[in-house]
Amino acid sequence: MKRTLLACLALLAGASADLRAGERDDRVDVLAADLASAVAADDASRQLAVLAGLRDSGSVASAEALVASYAAGRAGLEQARALATNSKYEFERKEEVLAIVELRRVQEPELEDLVLVLDQELGQLERQLHTALVDVERYEGACVRILDTTSLLFDDLEPAKRRKAERRMLDMATEDDAAAARFGALVVLGSVGSEEAAAALLKRLALLDRESTRLEQSLAKARDGLRRMEDRLQREPSDANRSGDRAQPYRAALREPTRWNAELSTQRVESSLAAEAVGCIIARSDEVDQEKLLSLVVARRRGASRRLQLDLFDVLRAADCALGTATLHAELAHEKDALFRAQAIDGLTVQRSTRLEPLLLEAYLEDPSPHVRSRAITALATLRSKAAIPRLIARFERESGRQRAELAQALTSLTGESFRERADLWKAWWDGVADSFAVPRSPQRPRDERTAEQRVGTTLFGIHTTSRSVVFLLDLSGSMRHAMIARTNPTDDPRVPPDLPLDGEDSRLDVAKRELIRALAAIPEGGSFNVIVYASGVHAWRDEMSVLTPETRAEAIAYLDRLSADGATNISGAFERAFELTGIPARGEWTDPAFDTLYLLSDGRPSIGTVLWTPDLTATVTDRNRLAGITIHTIGLSGAQDTVLLQGLAARNGGSFVAR
């Protein structure tokens, strides 16, 4: 974490210097440096003493230094959290690999050296996780203390100084070259900003939307050319790809799109923080300013792009006050777009609106859009509604596919019972307990579990769905030829010979095909499905979703049988193709997606495509999925899988993750 700390100290020094250019205050400089040192030493009492000194100075320079200090602390916190998450996932996965290798060691004593190596790596990961968790706690405490002091200082500043400090903070939030500085300033603005700051941030949201549109259009133009190059790379022998000679034009063509995707990822974070800040400012304002700002938000929604409308809905969700909730209810009442009805339900659920429950029961459980009905089902479970239980049970007769599973999950959360999609059993149970039953305050887990074989629906590697519209993304990269059983190279280290299947053993692709064929057999006739395969290139079995019949099932199985593994790992390209298949454009008219559930199978890390870095790829997929609402399940098929990516994609998109 030393590099993290040094980077944050550099951010603090640079931001402080930039903010106070032309208005130097040597004492504030010394206090800011002392604060950074106290944060590094995790000395809370010293931090409080320095913060008291900055507050007592009552100057604009002190306010600016506090904002810069918070931005630095927040950057450190985000990096520490990321490292803790990564270390936790890697530790858990390596533990599983070690357990497999230890079992094999009984029959293959030569694996003893590998056991020792894996055990040492586990020890290193455990120490790394501990350090990261300590840093998370340190930065969390520092950020809270700095933000509290900043709020107090802004309360103390005379109006002229406060306006000046706010303008400097807005400059930092919108113009600073360092994204971490902009992010930190946005959070602080949510705590101390005025009506003028909120109006400025609303303009910023519109500007970010225009910039995002420009970048997305540039990416769309570049994508077709990149896909043709990826297909050519896929057709070339693997050793030619590795030589780099023929891949050089592709890498050159990829530079700009990669940069555009990185900018888009940063803009998504910035838009989210700006929307949150505006909502927080509204919630803190007096009723007059609340009414002005909320009217402005509603007016800006009219005619805005879909993504900007989503951002403005986020503003309303963050405006946790009586007028904010009333405005969100008003928007919901006349909203014709299913996507925004769903977003409004989410927002009112977060705000725990007392007016929401009857609306959900009387209107939105009956909504024509399955997307809205899904949100209504989830919201009723979150609100811990007893009145919802008989209504949810009654919905079983009118729902199919994924919504039936969501009904069962909501009922289990509310009751602790586990009758799955058996409406008759739910009704019989409820008839016997309705008068005396009290909904537990916290979500419940089922008291018993049935095996996947006892369920109705599709199961892939243990992840179950009752969806009738499913897409499978199957990894065909070269490493899918490797063995499922780890021996000498469980992490697919390219410097070490791969673990190839021994006689009678299956490759990763063999196992994946067998599981996919079993899953296809469980999809009910009349449902819809598709298979997208990806390596260096990406190809869909059908251009559109295919209705499942005995004939299409047989054709898909024959297609799977013919597949072989070769090439790189283009996960971003696979998701691009999947989102095209939904029928929902990145911008434009919204409709219910062509499918509602997706399974991603992968044995490695992204190695080709426009987005390779795990945080950016997770953010890109999750942001695009805001317009689709697809449940994304992920399956890792080796010790080399990107556990952080697969866990993150599933967790942020309503799915489950398993490792094999």
Side-chain angles (χ1 to χ4, degrees), residues 3-14:
R3 270 185 282 184
T4 298
L5 178 58
L6 289 172
C8 294
L9 292 176
L11 171 64
L12 169 57

Side-chain angles (χ1 to χ4, degrees), residues 192-204:
V192 303
S194 67
E195 177 194 352
E196 289 75 17
L201 291 178
L202 286 173
K203 291 180 180 178
R204 178 66 177 169

Side-chain angles (χ1 to χ4, degrees), residues 339-359:
L339 176 65
F340 295 125
R341 291 200 300 278
Q343 290 290 316
I345 289 169
D346 287 349
L348 291 166
T349 304
V350 170
Q351 295 178 357
R352 299 280 175 168
S353 169
T354 57
R355 295 167 53 194
L356 181 59
E357 182 181 353
L359 288 173

Side-chain angles (χ1 to χ4, degrees), residues 455-513:
R455 307 181 196 179
V456 175
T458 303
T459 300
L460 184 64
F461 286 97
I463 300 177
H464 184 74
T465 182
T466 53
S467 171
R468 293 173 57 86
S469 54
V470 186
V471 167
F472 304 95
L473 306 188
L474 175 61
D475 188 347
L476 290 185
S477 61
S479 58
M480 289 290 285
R481 297 192 300 259
H482 298 175
M484 284 291 292
I485 298 172
R487 289 192 176 84
T488 58
N489 188 7
T491 59
D492 288 351
D493 186 338
R495 299 165 296 182
V496 179
D499 289 328
L500 296 175
L502 300 179
D503 289 344
E505 290 182 352
D506 290 328
S507 69
R508 297 166 189 171
L509 183 56
D510 292 331
V511 174
K513 285 181 180 181

